[in-house]
Amino acid sequence: MDLVPALREPLKKVLGPATAKVMAEHLGLHTVGDLLHHYPRRYEERGQLTHLADLPMDEHVTVVAQVADARLHTFASSKAPRGKGQRLEVTITDGSGRLQLVFFGHGVHKPHKELLPGTRAMFAGKVSVFNRRLQLAHPAYELLLGDTEGEEAVESWAGALIPLYPATAKLESWKLAKAIQTVLPSAREAVDPLPDSLREGRGLVSLPEALLKIHRPHTKADIEDARARLKWDEAFVLQVALARRRHAETQLPAVPRKPVPDGLLTAFDDRLPFTLTDGQLKVSREIFDDLATDHPMHRLLQGEVGSGKTLVALRAMLAVVDSGGQAVMLAPTEVLAQQHHRSVVEMMGELAEGGMLGGAEHATKVVLLTGSMGAAARRHALLDLATGEAGIVIGTHALIEDKVQFHDLGLVVVDEQHRFGVEQRDALRGKGKQPPHLLVMTATPIPRTVAMTVFGDLETSVLDQLPAGRSPIASHVVPAADKPHFLARAWERVREEVSNGHQAYVVCPRIGDEDDDPKKKAAQRTSPEDDAEKRPPLAVLDVAEGLAKGPLQGLKVEVLHGRMQPDDKDAVMRRFAAGETDVLVATTVIEVGVNVPNATAMVIMDADRFGVSQLHQLRGRVGRGSAPGLCLLVSEMPEASAARQRLNAVASTRDGFELSRIDLEQRREGDVLGQAQSGARTSLRVLAVIEDEEIIAEARQEAAAVVAADPELTGLPGLRTALEALLDEEREQYLEKG
């Protein structure tokens, strides 16, 4: 069954080609249905005004306010040397605060006539700072006329609630509102995806009613009704998609892999120099139970940096080898694959020397396979895989090539899932005679609801205890622009750590050997506060050179980044691990898995250019030994900016789950579902993954029941339609990627 034609109607036909083009390019809206699902971000009441005091920096905002004051200034400039330049400064107020609007040049005439003190209007623009005050430069505006101004004006601002839409510079909120009013009658034809029993049982309004109420509410209760209903739609349709994936997975056959008593796993456990934590034992049991079933395990293992995920994964791999199968671990980079290989061989000792003199009785071979290996070594590794000589294989995406054949692939462990695409996961699974079991590891803490939403096709295990021996890490924000002496002190702290026999990382967002973009150079800065934003991010090559000649002169400084040859990267890492290098200036290639216990300090330059979770990951690289760690977050962003608040949050807590909640609350909700990666529009418009935990959990239960009763959804055509709309190709891929 197809979507109702009225909602499939292209916007070009309804609104005209020019408006439709802007909507498609800037908001990803193509059809009447897309536009109806573009919900207001919030609502203004005619009598009440926005809080100007709480405006976010660098975002497009729409505010409703009153003109308090308007002044026209003339000044001399290069374009108007005789003092003929004009600048109009308008101050608006909403009772909570004041905001300055600025208009220049020929753009001053219309607002000078219209924006008289006492006038009320909606203003839209990007918030910036000039002379330490918030301002909107050249905002678009729409006057809010009194109710006496004729029938049409009253109608266009009907009701006391004015919807404000997520807008862009090219399309203000009120233009979107007018477009939505044009297509709103089509909402009556929307097909309801929720089963009647579910909708009635939960007292939810119908979909057409919800769409009308969200765009034209008469009361706040209307908005509540609409949002409650639309949240259920989003949660339920997504959970049905995931429930169907889980259902399909349980239909696949797999070879049960049961650990044998007194095999390789027992020998390995006997030689461990420490006892496993309760968390590691519990998660291992969950994994072993899954491996023993006759359909493929799909498990997500999340654990803080250093919680011992690799050890848990290795025990699962050994259990599979014991049962006659092979296990493979996939790492996102060569540096990481080599490191995993080294640490696995070290942990296993003579158990990793299968077929060699001195190998233990139960030993197996542990083989590394990466793209940069020499031909002879590669041939040798491929032979060990095909004959089954190698029980454990560690490598990069090179493992997925056609030439690579396994003797009997039983388990695939994927490290850092968010760097790993769906095609790769499927290609590797195709290497087994039957689908292998799958264990996905991530060090990014994911709140429970996000795990249910994003990784909903995987069962989740969490390692939340840190093993004994990890040291505390102190984190501080270094405001380089406001307090330059703080940055000088940061380099002194690095020297102090090195003089105490330790090492340090300096992390930068960019490598620095890219061609400089002439467009960027040409970009004229409009005001001083833009400087931190406009300049290119600091680069490894420039920073390393500056440090070696300046504040860190005399120390051994090396660089590491993703564009170096694999052998060079490995050589740099080995020297750093061996303590021959004092300071390593690197990009985020060190974010995952690099383990140097002697490194105690990290300085992250332009820290505001990294996400919260990424900063937390990077910070986990220090304090891995017995000495405490220090992480300094350097930023030039002003104190009031959202970026600085983010950094303060990272500095104030070490709890990864707490930080991932903050990260989510600060990012747009849909980023969780990866439209940032896939370019697809987010399917989450009203559902807040953190706040709506209960709805998501209930929707997951309802979805599982619906799919168990009717996997093909033959009795629910409206739900099938909604699923097709959700699972266009990009979203399908994203769900598969997890």
Side-chain angles (χ1 to χ4, degrees):
M1 165 172 173
D2 215 7
L3 261 178
V4 174
L7 299 192
R8 299 294 296 267
E9 190 83 48
L11 289 172
K12 198 158 57 180
K13 278 190 174 172
V14 190
L15 303 173
T19 308
K21 184 169 184 240
V22 176
M23 285 192 178
E25 283 175 9
H26 294 275
L27 295 168
L29 307 173
H30 303 278
T31 64
V32 169
D34 291 344
L35 184 54
L36 286 174
H37 286 293
H38 187 74
Y39 309 133
R41 179 174 283 168
R42 56 193 172 84
Y43 301 84
E44 284 299 355
E45 293 181 73
R46 300 297 291 280
Q48 253 190 347
L49 300 176
T50 337
H51 280 289
L52 290 182
D54 313 333
L55 288 180
M57 281 285 295
D58 291 323
E59 281 194 23
H60 275 282
V61 297
T62 304
V63 296
V64 178
Q66 189 156 9
V67 177
D69 179 42
R71 295 169 190 217
L72 190 62
H73 303 272
T74 53
F75 60 91
S77 72
S78 55
K79 289 184 180 168
R82 295 207 185 99
K84 294 277 178 63
Q86 290 191 313
R87 181 173 80 245
L88 176 65
E89 289 178 4
V90 178
T91 307
I92 58 173
T93 177
D94 68 349
S96 80
R98 292 178 155 243
L99 180 65
Q100 184 147 354
L101 316 177
V102 199
F103 301 88
F104 294 99
H106 296 305
V108 304
H109 305 308
K110 185 167 179 272
H112 190 216
K113 281 208 300 264
E114 294 182 339
L115 298 179
L116 305 172
T119 309
R120 297 204 41 228
M122 292 167 84
F123 302 92
K126 189 173 182 181
V127 184
S128 57
V129 175
F130 187 65
N131 285 345
R132 300 201 167 265
R133 290 170 63 192
L134 292 181
Q135 69 167 27
L136 294 181
H138 281 288
Y141 63 88
E142 176 99 349
L143 300 178
L144 289 177
L145 305 167
D147 288 351
T148 51
E149 296 282 338
E151 211 41 48
E152 205 171 313
V154 180
E155 187 50 43
S156 70
W157 303 109
L161 295 165
I162 302 169
L164 295 185
Y165 290 90
T168 71
K170 294 271 195 297
L171 204 62
E172 292 88 16
S173 172
W174 50 87
K175 290 185 181 157
L176 275 162
K178 285 178 179 167
I180 286 167
Q181 293 300 341
T182 309
V183 301
L184 203 51
S186 308
R188 298 183 191 289
E189 298 183 42
V191 178
D192 207 317
L194 295 190
D196 291 346
S197 56
L198 190 158
R199 190 167 63 75
E200 287 156 13
R202 294 187 176 272
L204 299 168
V205 301
S206 70
L207 181 57
E209 189 180 340
L211 290 172
L212 291 168
K213 281 183 168 174
I214 200 141
H215 292 298
R216 290 189 80 162
H218 294 299
T219 62
K220 286 186 174 169
D222 283 353
I223 300 171
E224 287 311 306
D225 286 353
R227 290 178 69 86
R229 163 60 216 246
L230 295 167
K231 280 180 179 187
W232 255 96
D233 271 23
E234 290 178 6
F236 181 70
V237 174
L238 185 60
Q239 291 301 336
V240 167
L242 294 165
R244 288 185 74 189
R245 279 193 59 78
R246 288 196 304 275
H247 178 79
E249 300 289 6
T250 59
Q251 307 304 303
L252 293 172
V255 180
R257 309 282 178 176
K258 295 179 176 139
V260 296
D262 301 326
L264 189 54
L265 177 60
T266 312
F268 175 75
D269 284 350
D270 289 346
R271 55 168 287 137
L272 281 177
F274 49 82
T275 51
L276 297 171
T277 65
D278 294 345
Q280 287 171 329
L281 288 168
K282 175 177 158 283
V283 169
S284 289
R285 271 198 302 278
E286 291 171 349
I287 292 171
F288 292 149
D289 289 348
D290 280 2
L291 288 172
T293 61
D294 56 7
H295 56 82
M297 164 171 84
H298 279 93
R299 191 165 280 282
L300 171 71
L301 171 57
Q302 22 175 151
E304 283 278 9
V305 172
S307 59
K309 292 185 302 296
T310 312
L311 177 62
V312 168
L314 178 55
R315 293 184 75 236
M317 292 164 84
L318 294 173
V320 169
V321 175
D322 271 344
S323 72
Q326 290 169 293
V328 55
M329 180 184 270
L330 268 178
T333 64
E334 294 214 355
V335 170
L336 199 53
Q338 286 158 348
Q339 187 156 333
H340 275 318
H341 182 252
R342 275 200 293 276
S343 63
V344 164
V345 169
E346 273 166 31
M347 280 197 272
M348 286 176 65
E350 74 268 17
L351 296 176
E353 296 170 359
M356 295 183 231
L357 279 173
E361 175 196 353
H362 294 293
T364 184
K365 243 188 193 179
V366 180
V367 169
L368 176 69
L369 186 63
T370 64
S372 63
M373 283 169 76
R378 192 180 166 78
R379 248 197 327 275
H380 208 87
L382 289 172
L383 190 64
D384 284 343
L385 264 63
T387 58
E389 190 82 9
I392 293 179
V393 187
I394 296 169
T396 55
H397 303 83
L399 279 170
I400 300 165
E401 291 174 12
D402 290 344
K403 294 191 203 75
V404 180
Q405 295 301 324
F406 291 88
H407 177 65
D408 179 14
L409 181 58
L411 170 67
V412 177
V413 178
V414 180
D415 191 19
E416 290 305 322
Q417 168 72 353
H418 59 281
R419 297 153 181 270
F420 198 72
V422 52
E423 304 81 6
Q424 293 140 331
R425 195 162 106 177
D426 284 349
L428 194 60
R429 274 166 49 189
K431 300 272 182 198
K433 297 188 174 71
Q434 286 191 321
H437 298 280
L438 177 72
L439 179 66
V440 172
M441 300 197 296
T442 176
T444 310
I446 303 163
R448 175 174 157 257
T449 42
V450 182
M452 283 197 296
T453 310
V454 180
F455 295 98
D457 60 335
L458 301 171
E459 299 300 328
T460 306
S461 295
V462 179
L463 277 175
D464 47 14
Q465 282 172 290
L466 283 187
R470 292 301 299 264
S471 302
I473 303 175
S475 304
H476 304 283
V477 178
V478 178
D482 311 350
K483 299 177 179 168
H485 59 286
F486 275 39
L487 184 57
R489 175 73 189 117
W491 301 125
E492 282 172 25
R493 282 292 289 114
V494 169
R495 293 193 83 98
E496 286 164 17
E497 290 296 315
V498 172
S499 66
N500 289 334
H502 296 299
Q503 294 161 278
Y505 298 101
V506 177
V507 182
C508 306
R510 208 163 56 95
I511 296 174
D513 56 359
E514 307 88 346
D515 290 338
D516 281 335
D517 184 348
K519 280 188 204 156
K520 280 185 187 158
K521 285 188 176 165
Q524 290 302 304
R525 293 176 184 169
T526 49
S527 60
E529 85 283 351
D530 279 348
D531 290 3
E533 268 293 292
K534 288 284 196 303
R535 68 164 173 72
L538 290 170
V540 166
L541 301 177
D542 308 339
V543 168
E545 190 182 352
L547 289 175
K549 291 179 179 167
L552 301 185
Q553 197 168 4
L555 301 187
K556 179 103 172 66
V557 177
E558 288 212 67
V559 299
L560 178 71
H561 57 74
R563 250 186 259 143
M564 289 163 64
Q565 290 301 318
D567 292 349
D568 298 343
K569 270 193 271 196
D570 207 35
V572 169
M573 257 339 284
R574 278 176 200 273
R575 285 196 292 275
F576 189 64
E580 294 164 23
T581 308
D582 298 320
V583 179
L584 185 63
V585 183
T587 54
T588 53
V589 291
I590 62 153
E591 177 189 355
V592 183
V594 174
N595 187 18
V596 180
N598 191 43
T600 52
M602 175 177 284
V603 181
I604 303 179
M605 307 303 290
D606 278 344
D608 48 89
R609 311 273 180 136
F610 300 98
V612 169
S613 296
Q614 198 174 27
L615 291 169
H616 181 58
Q617 286 272 62
L618 286 165
R619 171 171 65 183
R621 301 291 123 222
V622 294
R624 298 176 78 86
S626 52
L630 172 69
C631 178
L632 301 174
L633 306 165
V634 180
S635 170
E636 292 187 5
M637 294 304 279
E639 198 164 346
S641 62
R644 273 284 286 280
Q645 288 162 10
R646 243 191 359 252
L647 297 182
N648 292 339
V650 174
S652 67
T653 177
R654 283 279 300 125
D655 180 341
F657 284 92
E658 178 54 30
L659 284 174
S660 64
R661 288 180 80 96
I662 292 168
D663 200 8
L664 278 177
E665 282 158 9
Q666 292 204 336
R667 293 188 312 177
R668 288 211 326 286
E669 203 54 71
D671 287 352
V672 179
L673 289 186
Q675 97 280 18
Q677 287 94 320
S678 72
R681 286 180 306 105
T682 162
S683 69
L684 295 195
R685 296 177 182 79
V686 285
L687 189 71
V689 172
I690 295 290
E691 290 157 34
D692 297 321
E693 189 161 340
E694 267 175 52
I695 295 180
I696 292 171
E698 289 172 19
R700 185 178 165 112
Q701 284 180 334
E702 294 269 12
V706 164
V707 170
D710 179 4
E712 294 304 309
L713 309 178
T714 38
L716 297 164
L719 179 55
R720 276 221 315 280
T721 299
L723 267 182
E724 283 157 21
L726 172 75
L727 298 181
D728 55 40
E729 264 168 63
E730 288 173 303
R731 307 249 338 116
E732 179 88 64
Q733 283 185 6
Y734 191 73
L735 284 176
E736 295 212 359
K737 254 194 297 201

